[in-house]
Amino acid sequence: MTRSMTDTALLGGSFNPAHGGHRRITLFALEALGLDEAWWLVSPGNPLKPKDGMAPLAARLASARMQARRAPIVPTAIERELGTRYTIDTLRALVRRYPKRRFVWLMGSDNLAQFHRWRDWRGIARTMPIAVIARPGYDDRAMASPAMAWLRRYRVSAAGFRKRAVWSAPTLVMLRFDPDPRSATAIRRQSPDWAARHADLPVRDPLTHRLIPPEREPGR
């Protein structure tokens, strides 16, 4: 029997830049949850992050495309097309636009620790299952967070999630694997001009097939 739904993980972030850690946790989550592929939602702008030091969208999408090569990962700047700024609006729009897909929202335990600050975070949890990936130094704060106090009752194991014929939300899955020390912050420190090699090139969005134009600095 042919399965009619495609099971898709969603990982949102600035990807400033994308790196091997993003790829590793994504592939781990796909395997652990039995999913078909993942979409990296490269955000035009994160309301919870400062704009200083943020590379242009085209450069960040280009870095994501490089890291996603030869993997079931599709980087996309679809939020630019949707015109959404907040995660809740993006996820609801994706559910409407892609009715033949079942989505799982991926996030690190650092985000779970502050999840209660996100706009309509309970609405996010009711829109699709959430899988939280452990990150060094954040697990205790995540487990003690207001969001976890509410989500704990909906927790299932990864094995239990894989066996479900019908998905429901809220559902919370906690995923643990060997910590990955790589971070975008460390990469920016080591190579502060990483975005320059993408500065003058438009990048095609692998999902929407639209060109993302480069952003030129004043005076160029």
Side-chain angles (χ1 to χ4, degrees):
M1 182 175 66
T2 303
R3 191 175 57 177
S4 60
M5 302 292 282
T6 302
D7 296 339
T8 307
L10 300 175
L11 181 66
S14 56
F15 295 92
N16 187 40
H19 54 79
H22 292 125
R23 179 185 175 102
R24 183 167 177 247
I25 64 172
T26 301
L27 295 178
F28 169 79
L30 292 180
E31 176 66 23
L33 300 175
L35 307 180
D36 298 307
E37 67 178 15
W39 293 357
W40 284 350
L41 305 180
V42 184
S43 174
N46 187 330
L48 293 180
K49 289 190 176 181
K51 293 182 179 180
D52 292 345
M54 188 65 65
L57 177 60
R60 293 184 282 118
L61 181 60
S63 76
R65 290 196 62 167
M66 290 177 61
Q67 288 295 333
R69 286 181 298 184
R70 297 183 296 279
I73 299 172
V74 181
T76 178
I78 193 172
E79 286 176 296
R80 179 176 182 268
E81 180 179 325
L82 296 174
T84 54
R85 186 182 179 199
Y86 293 96
T87 299
I88 181 61
D89 300 322
T90 298
L91 301 191
R92 286 174 175 167
L94 291 176
V95 168
R96 288 193 300 268
R97 180 175 284 206
Y98 299 99
K100 292 189 179 296
R101 289 182 180 269
R102 297 191 298 186
F103 293 108
V104 179
W105 178 249
L106 300 182
M107 64 179 178
S109 54
D110 54 329
N111 281 322
L112 178 58
Q114 59 166 353
F115 192 40
H116 61 284
R117 295 175 52 200
W118 293 25
R119 175 169 290 194
D120 194 9
W121 62 271
R122 289 185 181 88
I124 294 173
R126 292 186 177 108
T127 300
M128 63 186 62
I130 296 174
V132 176
I133 301 168
R135 286 198 65 184
Y138 291 98
D139 286 359
D140 290 345
R141 287 168 52 196
M143 296 304 290
S145 67
M148 187 62 189
W150 185 81
L151 286 166
R152 187 173 282 110
R153 75 196 80 172
Y154 303 110
R155 185 172 176 178
V156 300
S157 68
F161 183 85
R162 288 180 63 125
K163 293 177 182 177
R164 288 187 174 195
V166 178
W167 290 11
S168 62
T171 295
L172 175 69
V173 184
M174 303 295 290
L175 299 177
R176 296 190 177 277
F177 73 125
D178 294 337
D180 194 310
R182 288 172 286 191
S183 73
T185 301
I187 292 172
R188 290 196 302 272
R189 274 198 213 104
Q190 186 176 16
S191 181
D193 60 346
W194 70 268
R197 56 182 174 268
H198 306 296
D200 297 318
L201 300 175
V203 181
R204 190 169 298 279
D205 188 308
L207 180 64
T208 66
H209 307 295
R210 294 180 180 272
L211 280 176
I212 307 298
E215 298 173 29
R216 301 198 179 276
E217 299 175 0
R220 291 189 62 185

